[in-house]
Amino acid sequence: MTKLLLGTVKDDDDEAKDKKEKLEIEKIMKSTEIQVVVATLIMTVSFTAGFTLPGGLDDNDDSPNKGMATLIKKTAFRAFAISDVLAFTFSASAICSYFTMANRYRGYNEDTNVRVLRMKYRIANVLQLLALYAAVVAFATGMYATLENSHALAVTVCVISSTFFLIFYWTSIRSKD
């Protein structure tokens, strides 16, 4: 009789655990739907910025640099190019991570491993956050490269852009309270 009662309690515990895991998976996957849109937007913007370079392209027919970026020798432009590529790469990687999550966890079954899903979700979130950071840096450095002749304006743009990091830090700290 005791074995029978323990078996029932164990079955109830397993059912409760399965239900809790299923709910957690559903929450993660619902959040992923929104985040994949954000990652796609970051990827699209950084892709576009890579082809519509700040300062434009050299279109002088007599120039050996025809078709090259006019600001290629400026450090700020180089920082823009690197941060733009990082934003693109991190967001594309986040999208790939979200896709693997969606393909692996389309429906809940006994093979679904919540721990692995959580890990993939965290990795995708970190990649997306890095993409967002890189996009802000790309914006600031691109603006600086094009406004460098007006040093005060260029610095002002960079200072205003950097407030993103302070706001993000502040909201992250505040959300833990």
Side-chain angles (χ1 to χ4, degrees):
M1 180 77 166
T2 307
K3 276 188 172 181
L4 185 60
L5 287 175
L6 287 175
T8 306
V9 170
K10 185 165 174 62
D11 289 343
D12 289 344
D13 287 346
D14 288 343
E15 279 183 36
K17 182 181 175 193
D18 285 347
K19 189 173 184 176
K20 184 178 177 185
E21 285 181 354
K22 185 176 181 179
L23 286 172
E24 185 174 358
I25 288 171
E26 288 174 7
K27 279 174 50 176
I28 289 172
M29 296 310 290
K30 190 157 196 84
S31 176
T32 297
E33 291 174 16
I34 296 165
Q35 293 192 18
V36 77
V37 171
V38 173
T40 303
L41 288 171
I42 294 170
M43 186 175 147
T44 303
V45 168
S46 60
F47 179 86
T48 303
F51 288 101
T52 55
L53 300 172
L57 302 174
D58 186 353
D59 60 355
N60 184 356
D61 289 332
D62 298 332
S63 174
N65 296 326
K66 182 173 171 64
M68 294 292 291
T70 57
L71 302 175
I72 193 88
K73 293 182 180 176
K74 295 191 177 204
T75 304
F77 178 82
R78 292 176 182 181
F80 159 79
I82 290 168
S83 57
D84 188 60
V85 168
L86 286 172
F88 179 84
T89 303
F90 287 140
S91 58
S93 299
I95 290 168
C96 287
S97 184
Y98 291 132
F99 282 164
T100 61
M101 287 169 57
N103 286 335
R104 175 75 172 98
Y105 299 101
R106 267 180 261 164
Y108 178 80
N109 60 45
E110 56 276 346
D111 295 334
T112 303
N113 188 333
V114 179
R115 196 179 96 253
V116 172
L117 181 64
R118 265 192 240 121
M119 180 188 67
K120 286 183 178 195
Y121 183 72
R122 283 189 204 114
I123 289 169
N125 278 323
V126 167
L127 289 168
Q128 190 165 341
L129 189 60
L130 290 172
L132 187 58
Y133 289 166
V136 171
V137 170
F139 174 79
T141 55
M143 291 295 290
Y144 187 89
T146 57
L147 300 172
E148 197 170 2
N149 290 339
S150 174
H151 190 70
L153 182 57
V155 169
T156 302
V157 166
C158 287
V159 168
I160 293 169
S161 297
S162 67
T163 61
F164 161 79
F165 298 103
L166 295 172
I167 292 168
F168 179 80
Y169 177 75
W170 183 72
T171 57
S172 295
I173 296 298
R174 300 291 287 173
S175 66
K176 292 179 183 177
D177 291 343

